[in-house]
């Protein structure tokens, strides 16, 4: 019936819809000739800071660098410890290791996939200097208790917001804040498949702290205070003007993109909620969701057979993540036998992400839904 495979993302399909605008702006940038940190980079940063309601958006080369720059700006050093979830992408812990900082992995909630203050508190000791909550798959961690805990123990908070840009968290007093703007520093990635994706690498750090912003700007550009005056050690992590052109256009559509993702998630939820062997994603009731991933939990005996079944039907699907960080070989030296992360282990055996992006048409959604339901019939 259909000869087109359904992919996890369709970046070309998305590009086709905004092609004229993108092409024109890229050509303008090429003719301007300011290929790195051109005026468009500033313009995009300003627009993103308005969108997120945060004082400073400092662009950099990718989301991994953003985390490293954040750790450097907060003055974390060799021997310090950070607490981050094991259920995340490698970058969250990799950057710490590069700076001689020890990542300590906490468990996550099996329903929301996110860390909680309770998971973190057990791991705090006198070497702990920072917490890195990761807002996974598109919704916020429960930040209020995490921020309280950080305050109590004088810990810094770096939010890894690579997957949840545009998501909003509501505090108990009714205040709403965007993910990435609640801690000392927020980081994000503009990797092409992220909700706000460039056509190459890109990233940014956010902060409301003016002093910290100055430091972040310097670190992202060789520790330079002014041209050829280097005050501190930094790195070379800047955003290309062409990527900023793309991002500046896509930012205008981000809310619509996120709405489209929510609509698809709603259709999936409706169809799958009655399937006994499936758990649909659980919403944290004080966060909105931007569905970077639509992730089901599948009964462990059925997860891999379902994957193969869907693949045979031309439906792409993924496990984010097949190996949690605490089981990665690279971290075997810092992870000992006392590690006990039952929810994380369970998730790696039960998670399954289905295609969700701005171009999953209704007929594709129906095809995906029908096939999942057929499998469980
Ligand atoms: C994608 C991602 C990153 C890394 O971003 P890059 O731009 O690929 O370096 C970091 N953390 C999380 C949770 C991510 O999903």
């Amino acid at each position: 019936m259909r000869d087109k495979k359904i992919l996890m993302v369709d970046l070309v399909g998305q590009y086709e819809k905004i092609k004229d605008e993108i092409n024109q702006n890229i050509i303008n940038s090429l003719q301007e000739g300011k290929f790195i940190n051109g005026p468009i980079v500033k313009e995009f940063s300003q627009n993103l800071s308005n969108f997120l309601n945060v004082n400073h958006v400092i662009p950099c080369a990718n989301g991994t660098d953003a985390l490293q720059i954040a750790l450097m700006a907060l003055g974390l050093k060799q021997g310090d410890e950070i607490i981050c979830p094991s259920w995340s992408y490698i970058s969250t812990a990799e950057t710490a290791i590069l700076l001689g900082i020890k990542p300590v992995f906490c468990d996550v909630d099996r329903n929301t996939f996110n860390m909680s203050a309770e998971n973190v508190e057990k791991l705090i000791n006198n070497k702990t200097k920072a917490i890195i909550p990761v807002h996974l798959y598109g919704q916020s961690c429960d930040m209020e208790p995490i921020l309280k805990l950080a305050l109590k123990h004088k810990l810094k908070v770096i939010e890894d917001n690579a997957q949840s840009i545009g998501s909003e968290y509501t505090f108990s007093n009714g205040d709403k804040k965007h993910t990435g703007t609640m801690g000392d520093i927020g980081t994000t990635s503009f990797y092409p498949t992220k909700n706000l994706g460039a056509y190459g690498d890109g990233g940014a750090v956010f902060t409301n702290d003016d002093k910290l912003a100055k430091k972040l700007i310097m670190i992202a550009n060789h520790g330079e205070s002014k041209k050829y005056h280097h005050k501190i050690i930094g790195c070379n992590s800047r955003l290309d003007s062409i990527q900023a052109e793309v991002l500046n256009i896509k930012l205008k559509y981000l809310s619509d993109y996120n709405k489209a993702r929510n609509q698809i998630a709603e259709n999936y939820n409706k169809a799958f909620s009655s399937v006994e062997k499936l758990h649909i994603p659980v919403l944290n009731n004080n966060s909105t969701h931007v569905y970077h991933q639509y992730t089901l939990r599948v009964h462990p005996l059925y997860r891999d057979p379902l994957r193969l079944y869907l693949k045979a039907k031309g439906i792409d699907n993924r496990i984010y993540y097949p190996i949690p960080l605490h089981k990665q070989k690279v971290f075997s030296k810092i992870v000992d036998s006392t590690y006990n992360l039952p929810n994380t282990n369970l998730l790696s055996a039960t998670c399954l992400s289905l295609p969700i992006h701005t171009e999953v048409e209704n007929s594709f959604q129906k095809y995906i839904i029908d096939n999942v339901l057929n499998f469980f019939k």
Side-chain angles (χ1 to χ4, degrees):
M1 51 168 284
R2 293 174 29 272
D3 48 1
K4 209 167 153 189
K5 272 182 65 166
I6 304 178
L7 304 173
M8 290 302 281
V9 288
D10 179 9
L11 297 174
V12 176
Q14 194 191 50
Y15 162 68
E16 291 290 340
K17 292 184 183 161
I18 50 172
K19 193 173 177 175
D20 292 343
E21 216 176 340
I22 294 269
N23 290 0
Q24 191 53 54
N25 282 269
I26 288 181
I27 288 169
N28 292 349
S29 220
L30 292 177
Q31 285 171 343
E32 203 167 52
K34 299 192 172 120
F35 297 116
I36 290 175
N37 264 343
I40 186 64
V41 176
K42 247 201 189 107
E43 188 183 325
F44 163 65
S45 304
Q46 190 53 54
N47 289 338
L48 185 57
S49 89
N50 295 345
F51 177 87
L52 295 173
N53 197 16
V54 68
N55 291 345
H56 304 277
V57 167
I58 297 130
C60 64
N62 56 66
T64 308
D65 276 9
L67 285 157
Q68 182 179 333
I69 292 165
L71 289 167
M72 289 168 77
L74 291 172
L76 269 81
K77 49 186 190 309
Q78 200 134 20
D80 290 345
E81 291 186 9
I82 55 124
I83 298 172
C84 69
S86 169
W87 192 241
S88 182
Y89 186 59
I90 184 86
S91 308
T92 313
E94 178 183 39
T95 43
I97 299 276
L98 284 175
L99 298 170
I101 299 160
K102 182 180 173 191
V104 176
F105 298 113
C106 71
D107 208 0
V108 290
D109 181 282
R110 65 169 70 178
N111 292 310
T112 63
F113 310 108
N114 278 331
M115 68 146 69
S116 66
E118 279 167 14
N119 302 136
V120 173
E121 187 157 29
K122 291 178 261 185
L123 303 173
I124 296 175
N125 65 42
N126 57 13
K127 287 188 188 151
T128 311
K129 292 287 147 50
I131 307 172
I132 308 188
V134 179
H135 306 302
L136 208 70
Y137 301 155
Q139 71 176 335
S140 181
C141 296
D142 193 4
M143 285 303 287
E144 190 161 341
I146 293 174
L147 293 170
K148 266 192 198 145
L149 187 68
L151 205 61
K152 180 174 153 197
H153 294 275
K154 296 194 170 62
L155 306 176
K156 302 291 183 188
V157 176
I158 301 171
E159 299 170 70
D160 182 344
N161 195 31
Q163 299 192 5
S164 296
I165 197 154
S167 193
E168 264 188 321
Y169 177 81
T170 307
F171 286 82
S172 53
N173 66 2
D175 280 1
K176 286 181 196 300
K177 282 195 181 162
H178 274 280
T179 49
T181 69
M182 295 175 270
D184 296 278
I185 299 177
T187 69
T188 201
S189 162
F190 304 125
Y191 185 77
T193 59
K194 304 281 155 117
N195 287 34
L196 180 59
Y199 293 165
D201 275 313
V205 289
F206 319 135
T207 187
N208 281 312
D209 181 322
D210 297 345
K211 235 174 104 184
L212 209 45
K214 276 197 187 124
K215 209 165 165 195
L216 289 162
I217 291 168
M218 277 166 59
I219 291 172
N221 195 15
H222 299 291
E224 212 171 63
S225 53
K226 63 181 192 199
K227 198 85 187 140
Y228 303 122
H229 292 64
H230 306 275
K231 274 194 178 159
I232 50 176
I233 287 293
C235 45
N236 173 8
S237 190
R238 301 172 295 216
L239 187 67
D240 294 351
S241 302
I242 288 175
Q243 301 310 336
E245 295 282 7
V246 172
L247 291 165
N248 201 40
I249 292 166
K250 285 176 79 175
L251 177 59
K252 290 192 296 186
Y253 303 113
L254 181 61
S255 297
D256 289 341
Y257 290 159
N258 287 343
K259 258 184 228 143
R261 289 170 180 271
N262 268 275
Q263 187 58 55
I264 300 165
E266 210 175 284
N267 296 343
Y268 285 161
N269 282 342
K270 235 184 265 161
F272 301 146
S273 59
S274 57
V275 180
E276 196 201 332
K277 305 229 163 20
L278 291 179
H279 291 281
I280 60 172
V282 175
L283 295 181
N284 174 355
N285 55 19
N286 42 23
S287 171
T288 60
H289 208 310
V290 295
Y291 290 101
H292 175 60
Q293 298 298 343
Y294 180 86
T295 304
L296 292 163
R297 283 192 290 133
V298 188
H299 187 291
L301 290 178
Y302 295 86
R303 200 268 309 265
D304 292 336
L306 174 60
R307 289 201 69 193
L308 292 175
Y309 181 83
L310 293 177
K311 203 150 215 162
K313 300 286 181 185
I315 301 168
D316 202 1
N317 59 83
R318 297 290 159 84
I319 300 171
Y320 298 111
Y321 297 90
I323 308 173
L325 298 182
H326 75 287
K327 292 197 169 162
Q328 293 286 352
K329 189 161 178 231
V330 65
F331 297 130
S332 57
K333 281 206 189 93
I334 57 162
V335 170
D336 59 33
S337 57
T338 65
Y339 258 87
N340 179 28
L341 308 179
N343 290 338
T344 301
N345 292 337
L346 177 84
L347 290 179
S348 66
T350 55
C351 264
L352 184 66
S353 300
L354 295 180
I356 191 163
H357 52 81
T358 51
E359 323 306 314
V360 193
E361 302 155 16
N362 286 337
S363 63
F364 282 16
Q365 289 175 50
K366 186 168 180 314
Y367 181 75
I368 294 169
I369 288 170
D370 288 348
N371 276 293
V372 171
L373 295 179
N374 269 339
F375 175 83
F376 285 107
K377 233 186 221 154

